[in-house]
Amino acid sequence: MSGSSGLLAEGQDLRIVGFLCNWCSYGGADTAGVARFEQPTDLRVIRVPCSGRIDPLFIARALMSGADGVLVSGCHPRDCHYAEGNFYARRRFEMLKQFLSVTGIDPERFHYTWVSASEGQRWQDVVTSFTERIHKLGPAPKMSGGTGYDEECLKEIAAAVSCGEQCPCHKEKA
């Protein structure tokens, strides 16, 4: 499924980045795949150990680099593999949503949710509705001064997720 909004040429994919927690949402996406549920092809998945590991700067960087949308999915509250990572994540993501409008990025381009490993049907619903929302919004406007979207940016973000406090985003803050 792509290009359903009529704003895009038929078959044109948008660039949507999905941060999926290893323990629940990645399993839910896998369950959906095993069950052969139809899913949009626009999503590029970055597998993270926990939604609590996602620094809001990863999301902001992806959006500022030209991603058309960012979806974060983790374990349901009280089901977090690390007990409370998703509670920290929820607090950060709510703050980020408020911050995005200040930066000129439409907060509708970012969404977070909870999907367990057994919820393949829910995963399909979440990813389909978010992708439809992004298709209605259309491609993200290019930000001046950005480096532009490319697959290398996603690789850098994925590498940053795995290197903790040593990630480039943390170094830039210092």
Side-chain angles (χ1 to χ4, degrees):
M1 180 193 114
S2 62
S4 60
S5 68
L7 297 172
L8 302 170
E10 188 64 34
Q12 182 179 0
D13 287 345
L14 291 178
R15 300 159 303 208
I16 301 173
V17 178
F19 291 96
L20 307 182
C21 123
N22 177 57
W23 302 101
C24 290
S25 296
Y26 194 84
D30 191 44
T31 300
V34 169
R36 298 189 179 271
F37 294 143
E38 189 174 327
Q39 299 179 51
T41 58
D42 309 71
L43 191 72
R44 275 78 164 170
V45 173
I46 297 177
R47 190 176 184 173
V48 296
C50 176
S51 59
R53 173 62 188 93
I54 301 169
D55 189 317
L57 291 175
F58 297 154
I59 298 163
R61 183 168 180 209
L63 290 168
M64 293 172 79
S65 298
D68 298 306
V70 174
L71 174 66
V72 175
S73 187
C75 302
H76 286 282
R78 301 189 192 279
D79 283 341
C80 178
H81 186 76
Y82 300 103
E84 52 195 19
N86 50 13
F87 288 115
Y88 292 119
R90 181 172 56 192
R91 186 176 329 143
R92 289 184 203 130
F93 299 155
E94 285 299 320
M95 293 297 292
L96 177 65
K97 279 190 158 197
Q98 295 175 17
F99 176 73
L100 286 177
S101 59
V102 173
T103 64
I105 297 172
D106 186 349
E108 291 295 310
R109 294 189 180 276
F110 168 64
H111 181 66
Y112 69 91
T113 190
W114 320 118
V115 175
S116 77
S118 63
E119 296 178 315
Q121 182 66 57
R122 176 168 162 68
W123 171 255
Q124 180 197 29
D125 294 342
V126 164
V127 73
T128 300
S129 67
F130 184 69
T131 302
E132 286 175 358
R133 179 199 307 177
I134 298 303
H135 275 266
K136 285 179 185 167
L137 291 171
K142 298 219 182 276
M143 299 189 79
S144 63
T147 57
Y149 177 89
D150 60 28
E151 294 298 324
E152 289 301 315
C153 177
L154 290 185
K155 289 177 185 172
E156 290 174 13
I157 293 171
V161 168
S162 64
C163 63
E165 295 292 320
Q166 300 302 315
C167 78
C169 294
H170 287 89
K171 288 180 182 176
E172 290 173 7
K173 286 194 294 189

